[in-house]
Amino acid sequence: MKSRLEGEREGIQVLMNELVARKQKWEDVEKAKSRWSLFLLGCLALLVFAVYRLFIESGAASSTRLISVLTTDPFFIGAAVLCAIGYWQLRFFSKKEDKAEKEYEELRLDIIARSPELWEDDRSWKKREQTYAFMKRVHGVNLYHK
């Protein structure tokens, strides 16, 4: 990116680099959230399997027997703990994703709003078009519209 933005002023380069960094952070957190979603889904399937297995083995004749088995079976306890970990991690990454998206969008909208100030004269306005096209093509950052 630096090779394309070398002709731009230093302030613009810093803004564009920061924008790309924030977008990358948002995408990384989004990927982590997706992974934890799959992990939680797998753990829930494991938990359902564990409960089903306990119902089959215990016969579900007595609720006290079933509760006793649920609290002592290491497989069920392990599955429940993994589900809890997956749930809390998913919540953590959901909040983190919202924050990263908000930071990215705020900077992107700020650059769009300050566009006339950043590229003041006609010559630099042509550079603006080249920079925006580069950012959209290479980094997927749309600076044309809010």
Side-chain angles (χ1 to χ4, degrees):
M1 181 167 126
K2 292 186 185 224
S3 63
R4 169 57 195 99
L5 295 176
E6 282 179 5
E8 292 292 350
R9 292 190 325 251
E10 186 175 336
I12 295 171
Q13 288 179 7
V14 170
L15 280 173
M16 296 302 159
N17 288 334
E18 180 63 26
L19 187 64
V20 169
R22 287 185 186 187
K23 182 170 188 214
Q24 186 61 46
K25 178 182 176 187
W26 176 31
E27 289 173 348
D28 291 346
V29 171
E30 195 173 35
K31 287 177 188 173
K33 180 185 166 193
S34 296
R35 282 188 225 115
W36 280 106
S37 296
L38 291 174
F39 176 81
L40 180 60
L41 186 63
C43 288
L44 286 173
L46 190 64
L47 187 64
V48 167
F49 172 73
V51 169
Y52 175 75
R53 188 179 62 114
L54 290 175
F55 272 113
I56 297 298
E57 286 179 1
S58 68
S62 167
S63 61
T64 56
R65 168 84 176 113
L66 183 61
I67 291 173
S68 167
V69 171
L70 287 176
T71 56
T72 58
D73 184 25
F75 185 75
F76 176 77
I77 293 172
V81 167
L82 287 176
C83 282
I85 290 170
Y87 173 74
W88 289 111
Q89 285 290 70
L90 185 60
R91 282 192 59 199
F92 172 75
F93 280 107
S94 291
K95 290 177 184 177
K96 205 169 175 181
E97 179 191 23
D98 292 342
K99 182 181 175 193
E101 180 182 13
K102 182 181 174 193
E103 289 174 352
Y104 164 73
E105 283 298 321
E106 284 176 353
L107 182 59
R108 189 180 77 80
L109 294 176
D110 185 45
I111 290 172
I112 291 170
R114 291 177 50 201
S115 181
E117 177 186 323
L118 294 171
W119 289 276
E120 294 170 349
D121 59 2
D122 288 338
R123 239 185 1 220
S124 67
W125 200 253
K126 290 177 185 175
K127 282 187 178 182
R128 171 196 168 268
E129 177 60 34
Q130 292 170 350
T131 301
Y132 280 17
F134 172 78
M135 293 295 287
K136 182 156 178 84
R137 184 181 70 249
V138 174
H139 299 288
V141 176
N142 184 2
L143 294 170
Y144 291 106
H145 305 287
K146 291 182 181 183

